[in-house]
Amino acid sequence: MTTGSSDNHSTPPSEPAAQPPEGRRRWNSATSVGLAVAVVGAVAAAVLSPLGEHAVNAVLDESTCPGEACEGKNPGRQGCDDGATTFKPPAGNPAELSIRYSEECQAVWGKIEHGAKGDLVTVEATGGTKRAAEIGYGDDQYTPMVRVGDGEFEVTVCAVPKAGGESTYEHYCIHGTEATAWR
């Protein structure tokens, strides 16, 4: 028995390994790790931003701060503006002052529209905290939240024009309770 190249039953030469199509390259492990780190970093940055925080809250469909934990926080960033109701008197309201109330968050905040730069909007819960916000640009602004709990409450929101500013209205306030006609 001899093994030689003259044997008619020789195996065909092996075919070359398949090459990726032109323009496609294989990733090595370092490239894969780098890409994974970039994706995780981008997702983390998006979730940790105020907009990302709001989006996560909307997906979870719950506020991040019911009750006392909402005190002094931004209602939009906490998800409290979703589903909040509004009281806006139709008459005698030159700066279009309104009270926003989130039953879920157990909090209220004031909003002013058609004010001027430097005007203030304040919100105060009877027996609670008072918060204020100044219009920095544009003509509207809202206050941080004030806790009102899940029972009876009274709240006052005021529009305070900047002394010597552009506003033509005088300091005035609106009032609300848990029984107000919230819309």
Side-chain angles (χ1 to χ4, degrees):
M1 233 193 210
T2 61
T3 56
S5 58
S6 62
D7 190 358
N8 288 342
H9 299 297
S10 65
T11 53
S14 63
E15 295 182 22
Q19 296 294 320
E22 192 65 32
R24 291 181 66 189
R25 301 185 191 272
R26 293 180 185 238
W27 290 352
N28 62 27
S29 60
T31 303
S32 297
V33 169
L35 181 60
V37 168
V39 168
V40 169
V43 169
V47 168
L48 296 176
S49 73
L51 182 59
E53 182 181 344
H54 181 71
V56 168
N57 294 340
V59 168
L60 298 176
D61 197 31
E62 60 186 48
S63 66
T64 59
C65 68
E68 194 171 318
C70 289
E71 184 69 46
K73 293 187 177 175
N74 179 313
R77 290 186 181 156
Q78 301 304 312
C80 295
D81 59 344
D82 295 335
T85 55
T86 303
F87 170 65
K88 182 190 261 185
N93 193 2
E96 292 193 36
L97 206 50
S98 61
I99 305 170
R100 301 273 291 151
Y101 169 53
S102 170
E103 186 174 1
E104 180 182 339
C105 291
Q106 301 173 11
V108 296
W109 58 98
K111 183 176 181 182
I112 185 172
E113 298 174 88
H114 305 296
K117 185 175 179 179
D119 290 356
L120 292 178
V121 57
T122 66
V123 61
E124 182 175 15
T126 301
T129 308
K130 182 176 184 176
R131 302 280 176 186
E134 180 178 324
I135 297 175
Y137 60 90
D139 67 354
D140 64 330
Q141 182 62 274
Y142 58 90
T143 67
M145 292 185 284
V146 172
R147 180 186 183 277
V148 292
D150 60 358
E152 295 181 5
F153 65 86
E154 282 186 52
V155 63
T156 302
V157 171
C158 299
V160 184
K162 178 182 177 181
E166 298 175 17
S167 292
T168 57
Y169 66 89
E170 294 182 17
H171 178 139
Y172 73 99
C173 300
I174 61 175
H175 307 279
T177 68
E178 76 288 343
T180 296
W182 301 98
R183 293 182 278 173

